[in-house]
């Protein structure tokens, strides 16, 4: 199956609610041009982001009301043999979502259940684009976007019937990840460039990236699905078209855009070292462990998450008795011959293994 990030193919596999959410994200992106940065010398955190976030808080209720409305109108469709929703319906829902994000309107809802769901969904999305006071963005905010998707799944927005334990098809999950994360990254990258949001909790060169982790994981999974035609070292040979189609390559390109004055192996040594792995499946497995250790297991990150009573309650039992630990080294041992100790890698900038100073 073609896993390229093709807009028409991906939209056709969405549900009406997800199409509305995609349209809303496209509308949210336009706020960047409507709310320009304030003129003046600021190192990090342009105050105009506060106005941008105020608009998010103001318009989010109508956005989620629209998503829940089209979901209720068009119902569930979970049978893989049933095919996709009608494309005209999806495009109409996409336009409805974009319109909801493009205007100020008072939120009015008579149904108490819908009103409660909208209120809870808004709480999750408020944390997904950065902090309006600290003027920063990091993996905790990225995770809040994923939490929002999980909450929408429980509202049957994926075209599923959550009450009957029905799950969406893999085709829809793939389309959801690729289309919505592309739209989400378009927004957050614009926020980081225009408003100069400070990296939240970044480890600098000792970390994977200043802002993201899940996006790299999903991107590695996307590339793993295309088999042996792509390998991790291809990050140095990617074309412009591939950068548009594949999440992982677009994440690399964004780093190179922000840090263009230094070699990639100096600005992002961990990502550079990862490129020496033999397959994308190994990259994805390592990134998932990194996410567990550096995000899910870190109190400074998860303490900022909100837990609602219906969609994301904090009622679980810890699944691990021992706290998972993040890697204490980068992937540089891949370049070292274990017998002779001589450098075995061919990628530029191969270096001896270095223990991260923040690792215990």
């Amino acid at each position: 199956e073609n896993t390229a990030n093709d807009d028409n193919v991906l939209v056709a596999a969405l549900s009406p609610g997800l199409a509305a959410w995609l349209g809303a994200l496209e509308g949210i992106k336009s706020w960047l041009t409507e709310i320009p940065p304030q003129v003046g010398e600021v190192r990090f955190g342009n105050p105009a982001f506060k106005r941008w976030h105020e608009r998010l808080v103001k318009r989010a209720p109508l956005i989620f009301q629209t998503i829940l409305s089209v979901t209720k109108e068009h119902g569930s469709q979970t049978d893989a043999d049933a095919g996709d929703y009608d494309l005209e319906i999806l495009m109409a829902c996409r336009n409805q979502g974009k319109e909801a994000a493009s205007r100020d309107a008072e939120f009015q809802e008579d149904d108490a259940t819908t009103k409660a769901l909208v209120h809870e969904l808004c709480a999750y999305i408020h944390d997904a684009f950065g902090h309006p006071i600290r003027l920063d963005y990091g993996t905790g905010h990225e995770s809040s976007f994923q939490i929002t998707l999980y909450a929408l799944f429980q509202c049957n927005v994926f075209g599923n019937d959550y009450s009957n334990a029905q799950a969406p098809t893999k085709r829809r999950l793939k389309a959801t990840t690729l289309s919505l994360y592309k739209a989400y990254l378009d927004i957050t990258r614009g926020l980081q460039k225009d408003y100069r949001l400070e990296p939240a909790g970044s480890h600098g060169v000792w970390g994977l990236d200043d802002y993201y982790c899940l996006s790299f994981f999903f991107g590695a999974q996307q590339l793993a699905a295309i088999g042996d035609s792509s390998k991790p070292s291809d990050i140095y040979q990617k074309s412009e078209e591939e950068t548009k189609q594949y999440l992982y390559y677009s994440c690399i390109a964004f780093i190179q855009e922000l840090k263009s004055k230094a070699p990639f192996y100096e600005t992002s040594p961990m990502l550079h070292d990862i490129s020496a792995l033999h397959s994308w499946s190994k990259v994805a497995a390592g990134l998932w462990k990194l996410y567990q250790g550096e995000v899910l297991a870190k109190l400074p990150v998860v303490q900022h998450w909100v837990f609602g009573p219906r969609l994301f309650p904090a009622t679980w039992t810890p699944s691990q008795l021992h706290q998972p630990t993040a890697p204490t080294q980068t992937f540089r041992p891949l370049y070292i011959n274990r017998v002779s100790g001589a450098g075995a890698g061919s990628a530029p900038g191969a270096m001896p293994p270095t223990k991260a100073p923040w690792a215990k």
Side-chain angles (χ1 to χ4, degrees), residues 78-339:
T78 58
D79 187 353
D81 297 328
D84 298 326
Y85 285 90
D86 187 273
L87 186 58
E88 290 187 7
I89 293 177
L90 296 176
M91 296 306 295
C93 293
R94 186 179 187 177
N95 290 333
Q96 286 181 258
K98 190 171 185 177
E99 181 183 355
S102 302
R103 61 189 178 92
D104 292 326
E106 184 179 353
F107 172 62
Q108 296 179 342
E109 178 59 57
D110 296 329
D111 182 72
T113 300
T114 301
K115 189 173 183 178
L117 291 175
V118 168
H119 177 74
E120 189 169 337
L121 287 165
C122 288
Y124 301 136
I125 202 61
H126 289 170
D127 288 338
F129 295 96
H131 198 281
I133 298 177
R134 296 193 304 267
L135 303 179
D136 63 6
Y137 176 93
T139 52
H141 302 104
E142 179 191 35
S143 298
S144 291
F145 182 74
Q146 186 67 21
I147 291 171
T148 304
L149 290 177
Y150 174 70
L152 289 171
F153 162 70
Q154 294 193 76
C155 296
N156 299 329
V157 171
F158 280 65
N160 60 299
D161 187 347
Y162 184 78
S163 62
N164 291 326
Q166 289 181 328
T169 63
K170 291 182 179 180
R171 170 175 163 80
R172 180 157 300 148
L173 289 174
K174 183 197 77 173
T176 299
T177 301
L178 297 181
S179 62
L180 293 180
Y181 259 89
K182 179 181 182 300
Y184 173 71
L185 289 173
D186 285 344
I187 297 170
T188 54
R189 288 169 182 167
L191 294 174
Q192 290 150 23
K193 289 191 296 184
D194 291 1
Y195 302 134
R196 301 183 62 83
L197 298 185
E198 185 174 3
S202 171
H203 294 304
V205 297
W206 301 109
L208 181 73
D209 179 61
D210 286 340
Y211 298 109
Y212 303 105
C213 185
L214 273 178
S215 302
F216 285 94
F217 167 71
F218 289 132
Q221 291 281 31
Q222 180 190 17
L223 288 165
I226 67 176
D228 297 333
S229 60
S230 174
K231 52 186 181 295
S233 59
D234 290 343
I235 63 171
Y236 295 104
Q237 304 167 1
K238 60 188 181 302
S239 66
E240 182 177 351
E241 184 62 27
E242 288 174 324
T243 299
K244 294 178 180 179
Q245 290 182 336
Y246 297 102
L247 278 178
Y248 195 96
Y249 291 157
S250 72
C251 291
I252 297 294
F254 183 64
I255 295 174
Q256 293 174 326
E257 178 185 352
L258 291 183
K259 304 177 180 180
S260 59
K261 295 183 179 181
F264 182 73
Y265 66 84
E266 289 185 0
T267 63
S268 305
M270 182 178 289
L271 287 167
H272 166 70
D273 295 342
I274 288 174
S275 69
L277 291 174
H278 298 297
S279 69
W280 285 112
S281 60
K282 288 185 178 294
V283 173
L287 290 174
W288 179 244
K289 291 180 180 178
L290 185 71
Y291 179 72
Q292 288 179 308
E294 281 301 297
V295 180
L296 297 182
K298 295 298 184 182
L299 179 61
V301 177
V302 300
Q303 69 180 355
H304 298 293
W305 292 354
V306 292
F307 300 92
R310 295 171 178 264
L311 305 177
F312 192 56
T315 57
W316 62 84
T317 300
S319 59
Q320 297 177 338
L321 296 178
H322 302 288
Q323 185 181 29
T325 58
T328 58
Q329 291 182 331
T330 68
F331 290 81
R332 287 176 183 154
L334 295 168
Y335 290 113
I336 307 302
N337 186 303
R338 295 181 180 275
V339 177

Side-chain angles (χ1 to χ4, degrees), residues 35-97:
I35 307 176
Q38 291 185 17
V39 178
E41 291 294 332
V42 289
R43 182 172 180 267
F44 281 114
N46 192 287
F49 177 66
K50 297 179 181 180
R51 292 174 50 216
W52 189 97
H53 197 273
E54 287 172 357
R55 179 176 291 189
L56 174 68
V57 172
K58 187 174 184 178
R59 296 187 181 181
L62 183 60
I63 291 174
F64 287 118
Q65 184 184 42
T66 301
I67 292 172
L68 295 180
S69 175
V70 299
T71 297
K72 184 177 181 179
E73 178 182 355
H74 297 287
S76 302
Q77 190 177 24
T78 58
D79 187 353
D81 297 328
D84 298 326
Y85 285 90
D86 187 273
L87 186 58
E88 290 187 7
I89 293 177
L90 296 176
M91 296 306 295
C93 293
R94 186 179 187 177
N95 290 333
Q96 286 181 258

